[in-house]
Amino acid sequence: MSQQGARRNTRGGGAAWALVITSVAGFMAALDNLVVTTALPSIREDLGGALHDLEWTVSAYTLTFAVLLMFGAALGDRFGRRRLFVVGITVFTAASAAAALAPGIDSLIAARAVQGVGAAIMMPLTLTLLTAAVPAERRGMAYGIWGAVNGLAVASGPLVGGSLTEHISWQWIFWLNVPLGLALLPLARLRLSESHGTGAPLDIPGTLLASGGLFGVVYGLVRGPVDGWTGSVVLTALFAGVALLVGFVLYSTRAKNPMLPMRLFRSRAFAGVNAASLLMFLGMFGSIFLLSQYMQGVLGYSPTEAGLRMLPWTGMPMLVAPIAGMLSDRIGGRPVVAAGLFLQAAGLGYLASVIMADASYAIQLPGLIVSGIGMALYFAPASALVMSSVAAKEQGIASGANNALREVGGALGIAVMSSIFAAQGGYASAQTFVDGLRPAVAVGAAMVALGGVAALAVPARRRTGGQGPETAPKTDPAAEPVDEPALAPAAPTPRP
């Protein structure tokens, strides 16, 4: 960051304002992943459409969000992170209004796809802007609050959507974003400092390969449970997506200025935390998707009642994540992330063992609490590990890659666990629902536990001092010096 930007950041109370702005923006983007699920019956009643159309009101957002995350981060690094952050908020807010005003199901699906584009631009830039504004010694707590807000948004999507639909109308799940977005626009312009990445030209071939590959994989995962995993369209999408992603990896190992330098994955820290993030979201997303339906369809709770009963899980990040962030500053992020993932896995495993057609809330409560603590311990230190595992000028790309893997993990979790649910049970009765739910949640627990193992692969890094943050590993011994040394987690490597 330039000295002028630093002075402006100081005058504006930079750290506090950046935390508020980026947390609210991240909340909006994360909330819209699952906020529509409990509103689907009301949307169908008002707008019509077949079940296939209703599924796309969820999938259209997930698809564009996951596919364009890395491209959004690259645009921010090239043309200015604050500038593109404002563009992303503008697109997301306008698309939210369009979704609320949609006269038919097709226009709603189109608006949801544009929402995903806006979210893909602004979401990966929230972490880079926050990192630039917060001193290194206070980033753990800042990441903790940011992670708590984002974790709460992901987990409370069904509650928010159900409550607004039940008490006002389904349109308000989209209108909610409009005043928040309009408030963020002037604040982002006035209170955030501009910064850039490496200044390298956009990697057009890499962008096309990565975007096409992610589109094929996510599209195949979304359509698999509906069309069947052996359907020609699903198989073509999956094989083509994997082939394009392999091509992206091969291209990026040779390109001069790749969108995602493959050398970053030589770092055990970067590779381990990204694997842990993908597996965490796989298990968590799929479990929330099915358990929210279990509480409503089997136990008979209204959407609001079901959401309130899940608060020991979904609300826990607001209480624990800031503490987890400070704890990671003291003992390092690896043990906190690993402990969180193993606790999340234990909570899901417990729920899988006690779920019944007439299970009382009291018997479910321990699993919800343990899962909530585990989720809270994961979010903040994982973000810190991602951002500290690369040089400051590459943090935008690192954030984009991590968010893309999280979204792919979420789509994969819903697809895989829905397939297990359909194979072992179904919606015919309360008992058949439970028959499908229990093995699906057990698989989700196993995936999160594997994420804990991946987190243990992250090396314990050298510390800068008694209470300081962990130092970032050197991702490349011949790397360029960091262009923002005051913000870098560690001193840059000098040229040989």
Side-chain angles (χ1 to χ4, degrees):
M1 186 192 307
S2 65
Q3 291 182 351
Q4 181 182 358
R7 287 194 298 268
R8 182 173 64 242
N9 209 26
T10 302
R11 288 198 304 268
W17 277 112
L19 180 58
V20 171
I21 294 166
T22 58
S23 294
V24 173
F27 180 89
M28 292 195 302
L31 180 72
D32 273 59
N33 270 300
L34 295 176
V35 73
V36 177
T37 54
T38 46
L40 292 179
S42 296
I43 292 174
R44 184 176 186 179
E45 184 178 344
D46 283 358
L47 302 183
L51 179 61
H52 171 84
D53 297 316
L54 294 178
E55 289 165 349
W56 271 109
T57 62
V58 179
S59 302
Y61 181 83
T62 303
L63 194 59
T64 53
F65 191 9
V67 163
L68 297 174
L69 270 163
M70 285 195 291
F71 184 51
L75 287 174
D77 284 351
R78 180 68 178 86
F79 297 109
R81 292 162 179 162
R82 184 187 64 182
R83 179 181 302 168
L84 265 293
F85 181 71
V86 169
V87 170
I89 294 173
T90 302
V91 172
F92 185 86
T93 303
S96 297
L101 295 170
I105 193 69
D106 291 336
S107 55
L108 176 60
I109 292 171
R112 287 283 288 166
V114 178
Q115 262 193 314
V117 173
I121 296 172
M122 71 177 180
M123 186 64 173
L125 299 176
T126 58
L127 269 180
T128 38
L129 290 167
L130 182 61
T131 301
V134 178
E137 67 274 8
R138 288 162 47 198
R139 285 179 191 154
M141 184 175 182
Y143 289 146
I145 297 172
W146 181 91
V149 173
N150 280 267
L152 179 64
V154 170
S156 65
L159 167 62
V160 174
S163 299
L164 290 173
T165 301
E166 183 178 346
H167 299 295
I168 308 178
S169 72
W170 65 264
Q171 285 88 350
W172 275 92
I173 64 180
F174 303 114
W175 282 127
L176 177 66
N177 294 322
V178 175
L180 292 176
L182 291 176
L184 287 181
L185 285 171
L187 289 175
R189 292 284 300 173
L190 296 172
R191 301 297 186 180
L192 296 178
S193 296
E194 187 61 279
S195 64
H196 295 77
T198 61
L202 286 177
D203 178 15
I204 301 300
T207 298
L208 294 175
L209 287 169
S211 298
L214 286 174
F215 181 89
V217 170
V218 176
Y219 182 88
L221 294 175
V222 167
R223 298 310 308 162
V226 180
D227 298 339
W229 292 103
T230 58
S232 59
V233 173
V234 172
L235 288 176
T236 300
L238 290 174
F239 281 123
V242 171
L244 288 172
L245 289 176
V246 170
F248 170 70
V249 172
L250 294 175
Y251 164 81
S252 297
T253 58
R254 297 175 174 84
K256 182 178 180 181
N257 295 301
M259 180 175 66
L260 179 61
M262 289 297 109
R263 59 180 171 76
L264 295 181
F265 290 95
R266 298 174 193 165
S267 162
R268 283 172 53 200
F270 185 79
V273 72
N274 277 290
S277 295
L278 186 146
L279 291 165
M280 162 64 177
F281 270 66
L282 192 159
M284 181 192 69
F285 246 68
S287 298
I288 290 174
F289 181 75
L290 292 174
L291 287 171
S292 64
Q293 295 181 63
Y294 164 73
M295 286 195 168
Q296 296 175 62
V298 176
L299 300 183
Y301 299 126
S302 71
T304 304
E305 291 171 338
L308 289 173
R309 282 165 174 77
M310 291 184 75
L311 276 179
W313 182 8
T314 61
M316 195 63 71
M318 293 299 293
L319 300 176
V320 178
I323 300 173
M326 291 186 288
L327 186 62
S328 70
D329 281 343
R330 290 180 174 272
I331 66 173
R334 181 185 68 164
V336 181
V337 168
L341 291 171
F342 287 129
L343 283 175
Q344 174 86 86
L348 290 176
Y350 173 84
L351 287 171
S353 69
V354 302
I355 288 171
M356 296 180 293
D358 57 350
S360 67
Y361 181 63
I363 200 171
Q364 300 172 58
L365 189 58
L368 297 173
I369 292 174
V370 172
S371 294
I373 294 173
M375 180 193 294
L377 289 176
Y378 158 82
F379 271 112
S383 301
L385 285 175
V386 170
M387 301 305 281
S388 65
S389 66
V390 299
K393 63 183 179 181
E394 294 176 323
Q395 286 174 341
I397 293 301
S399 176
N402 183 254
N403 278 283
L405 288 170
R406 289 182 179 189
E407 289 301 311
V408 170
L412 180 62
I414 291 175
V416 170
M417 294 173 69
S418 294
S419 295
I420 296 170
F421 168 80
Q424 300 295 321
Y427 292 92
S429 67
Q431 187 57 51
T432 57
F433 192 100
V434 169
D435 290 341
L437 178 62
R438 295 183 73 168
V441 175
V443 169
M447 294 297 101
V448 177
L450 286 176
V453 174
L456 291 177
V458 175
R461 295 194 295 269
R462 178 175 55 85
R463 299 172 60 81
T464 57
Q467 304 298 326
E470 296 171 270
T471 60
K474 297 177 178 63
T475 58
D476 185 0
E480 293 287 340
V482 176
D483 58 355
E484 297 172 279
L487 301 175
T493 304
R495 283 186 178 276

